[in-house]
Amino acid sequence: MRTSHITTALLASIALAGCQVSTTTSNSTATTTGTPPSIAQADLQAAASDADGKAFYAANNWQAAWTDGSAKALVDAIDHRAAHGLDQWQVPLPAKDSSPAAREAGLTRAALLYAGALAHGVTDPTQLYKIYTLPRPTTDVRAGLLGALKAGKLADWLGSLAPQSDTYKQLSKAYLGYRKDAGTGTPGAIPPVEKPIEIGDSNPRVPIIAARLVDNEYLPAEAAPRAAGSTPPSPVYTPAIAAGVKRLQADYGIEPDGKIGADTLELLNQSPADLARATAVALERQRWLDRAPPATRIDVNLATARLNYWRDGKVVDSRKVVVGDPETPTPQLGSPIFRLVANPTWTIPRSIQEKDLKGKSAAYLHQHNMAWKDGWIVQQPGPQNSLGLVKFDMQNDHAIYLHDTPAKTLFDKNQRQLSHGCIRVFDALGFAGIVAAAEGVTDEWNKARATGRETFVKLPQQIPVRLLYDTVVPDGQGGVAVRTDPYGWNDAVSQKIGFGVAPGKHFHAETGDVGP
């Protein structure tokens, strides 16, 4: 599903002032020394009514911690929260006419809330999703806040909590750009077409389409049709405009045929506010992640259906994958590969037996090299096995793993959310060879393959795997590309960080494939 439209009221509420491209505040090097006020312990205990506040002040012997300078630094940081995509999320600060104790406790409450959002996200993904096991940050914001206030370094500390990665900085810059563009208002929708617009067609929508492509940098300005005096811009759909449409389609996972049909018009109607919303969600997802992921790991982005193999901090291999369809989505897991399996068998899960194989004849099972064994249908090894010729065994409680597949044509599709939940790897045998070589088990792997039987090759070191979901990703040129939201998982996050949600277009997988 693409990013949904934000309400007009929300668009109008997006202010343009006070934007900072940096993910830290402008006074991050300033100290905020001074003396906190003297507040009676009983008053402070009454004001600090929440559990976090009580724990914070207990650690400070029930003494006030805030100076005027540190209070100003906090307000300044919160005022610049748009750099983190959090400007639609409200942080309650104490009222100006609050009592000294209420002001003190209110500042702590706001600081802990904002610091927690930067350190590990506004939302808890384990509460949003049935399955979420990716490693998360473990920053102790209470102890950090107290230390920062005592040292007079609140702004520096707050600036250190959010991810410092290039990806986060690119997302921040993109969000501020979309946010600024959203302040100009939502452009009018392009009317639907009865049949797709193709090269050479004359259609009054073409100048508007070209203008949208120019606005989003898919088309050079000089290639867009222009009005000349009283002559309106040409309505002819040219090859140059079609080339821009193809680039847009490729970015969003639509077949890049250059034709303008309903799907492409829906993307062209995507406003800057839609893009801002998707990017704010991407920033939140980044804050959920451990700040120091393993230097050697495998990352699979479920939204873009692509795998990146990291070795010693560098991407050494990148390839397409097929992941779960929207009805059986691949969960967001942190789970290591511990062995390679040559010539795997496949014990077919009950869900697939009951849904896809129910009523199949013995002849069908024989044709697909399947047989009943101890109450389960098991597919024997071979090139037509649904796991292909290699399985990358992972340690988790959800029967999720990477594997080969005989259904090679699925890798040619732009939307590759097509499996029953496991991850099918393009040229999986080639990838297994890369992994085996890097782990020093090439000889064992080659011998295992040659047996023709299911054979296990244990890796000397487990390889961490992260199954992520990112719909806004770096484009390799310093910017970002906004992709579709095939599982519709952005909506719940969007609501938590203050953005509205509206119905959008969902992807529906149709493969007829029984594989995992």
Side-chain angles (χ1 to χ4, degrees), residues 72-142:
K72 182 179 183 301
L74 174 63
V75 172
D76 185 58
I78 292 173
D79 282 347
H80 290 81
R81 67 191 184 280
H84 304 282
L86 293 175
D87 47 307
Q88 298 303 308
W89 175 68
Q90 300 305 310
V91 184
L93 286 162
K96 292 182 179 180
D97 58 353
S98 299
S99 69
R103 175 181 180 273
E104 170 76 23
L107 288 170
T108 296
R109 191 176 301 112
L112 290 175
L113 184 64
Y114 185 55
L118 297 180
H120 44 70
V122 172
T123 53
D124 180 352
T126 65
Q127 300 301 311
L128 292 181
Y129 303 105
K130 185 177 180 180
I131 301 172
Y132 188 98
T133 68
L134 290 163
R136 299 194 62 208
T138 56
T139 304
D140 184 343
V141 294
R142 286 201 304 258

Side-chain angles (χ1 to χ4, degrees), residues 119-199:
H120 44 70
V122 172
T123 53
D124 180 352
T126 65
Q127 300 301 311
L128 292 181
Y129 303 105
K130 185 177 180 180
I131 301 172
Y132 188 98
T133 68
L134 290 163
R136 299 194 62 208
T138 56
T139 304
D140 184 343
V141 294
R142 286 201 304 258
L145 174 61
L146 185 56
L149 290 173
K150 286 182 178 295
K153 293 285 188 179
L154 180 66
D156 283 348
W157 177 68
L158 288 172
S160 72
L161 294 175
Q164 305 297 310
S165 65
D166 289 341
T167 294
Y168 194 82
K169 292 173 183 176
Q170 288 170 342
L171 290 171
S172 173
K173 182 178 179 180
Y175 176 76
L176 293 174
Y178 294 140
R179 175 181 183 266
K180 182 177 180 180
D181 291 342
T184 64
T186 306
I190 304 171
V193 292
E194 293 182 3
K195 65 176 184 177
I197 302 172
E198 301 187 33
I199 292 174

Side-chain angles (χ1 to χ4, degrees), residues 190-251:
I190 304 171
V193 292
E194 293 182 3
K195 65 176 184 177
I197 302 172
E198 301 187 33
I199 292 174
D201 289 351
S202 180
N203 192 295
R205 298 169 182 80
V206 169
I208 305 172
I209 290 168
R212 299 281 171 85
L213 293 169
V214 171
D215 288 344
N216 290 281
E217 299 183 357
Y218 286 101
L219 181 69
E222 58 271 18
R226 296 173 177 271
S230 60
T231 304
S234 171
V236 176
Y237 188 47
T238 66
I241 301 173
V245 169
K246 288 181 180 180
R247 288 189 287 271
L248 174 76
Q249 291 169 328
D251 265 359

Side-chain angles (χ1 to χ4, degrees), residues 221-479:
E222 58 271 18
R226 296 173 177 271
S230 60
T231 304
S234 171
V236 176
Y237 188 47
T238 66
I241 301 173
V245 169
K246 288 181 180 180
R247 288 189 287 271
L248 174 76
Q249 291 169 328
D251 265 359
Y252 283 81
I254 292 176
E255 182 65 32
D257 57 10
K259 299 177 183 179
I260 301 175
D263 288 349
T264 302
L265 274 184
E266 189 174 16
L267 292 176
L268 286 165
N269 278 331
Q270 198 171 35
S271 72
D274 295 326
L275 301 173
R277 169 186 174 270
T279 309
V281 169
L283 285 162
E284 174 72 354
R285 291 184 183 281
Q286 288 291 309
R287 291 189 291 268
W288 293 345
L289 300 177
D290 188 355
R291 301 295 187 264
T296 295
R297 66 184 187 275
I298 293 171
D299 285 347
V300 177
N301 187 347
L302 308 177
T304 61
R306 180 161 287 276
L307 174 154
N308 284 326
Y309 177 31
W310 292 76
R311 197 86 197 171
D312 299 325
K314 296 181 179 179
V315 176
V316 297
D317 188 81
S318 182
R319 60 187 62 216
K320 295 177 180 179
V321 294
V322 171
V323 299
D325 68 30
E327 291 188 4
T328 56
T330 305
Q332 298 167 88
L333 296 181
S335 174
I337 291 173
F338 68 98
R339 67 184 180 187
L340 303 178
V341 185
N343 314 303
T345 61
W346 180 37
T347 300
I348 300 172
R350 297 290 189 202
S351 58
I352 296 179
Q353 287 187 34
E354 294 169 2
K355 179 181 178 182
D356 299 284
L357 296 180
K358 186 177 182 179
K360 296 295 185 182
S361 66
Y364 175 92
L365 297 182
H366 179 75
Q367 181 184 357
H368 291 85
N369 205 18
M370 298 176 182
W372 285 96
K373 182 178 179 180
D374 299 327
W376 294 84
I377 299 176
V378 179
Q379 190 175 39
Q380 300 305 307
Q384 295 308 308
N385 184 288
S386 291
L387 303 186
L389 296 174
V390 57
K391 174 185 177 184
F392 303 81
D393 239 344
M394 295 167 60
Q395 288 184 335
N396 59 72
D397 297 329
H398 308 287
I400 297 296
Y401 46 83
L402 280 64
H403 64 92
D404 187 17
T405 177
K408 310 296 186 186
T409 58
L410 296 184
F411 294 110
D412 295 331
K413 296 182 177 294
N414 293 95
Q415 282 292 51
R416 295 187 297 279
Q417 288 74 28
L418 301 166
S419 80
H420 283 87
C422 286
I423 299 102
R424 309 177 190 186
V425 181
F426 177 75
D427 184 19
L429 278 178
F431 185 57
I434 292 172
V435 171
E439 296 296 325
V441 294
T442 297
D443 288 345
E444 294 94 323
W445 173 241
N446 288 338
K447 290 176 183 177
R449 285 190 58 199
T451 65
R453 302 186 304 275
E454 184 173 60
T455 308
F456 305 98
V457 177
K458 185 177 180 180
L459 299 178
Q461 299 290 332
Q462 294 184 355
I463 303 175
V465 178
R466 302 191 305 174
L467 307 184
L468 309 166
Y469 191 82
D470 294 312
T471 63
V472 184
V473 294
D475 63 6
Q477 301 176 12

Side-chain angles (χ1 to χ4, degrees), residues 37-47 62-64 100-101:
S38 178
I39 300 175
Q41 181 173 327
D43 291 342
L44 194 51
Q45 287 176 331
W62 289 100
Q63 300 295 311

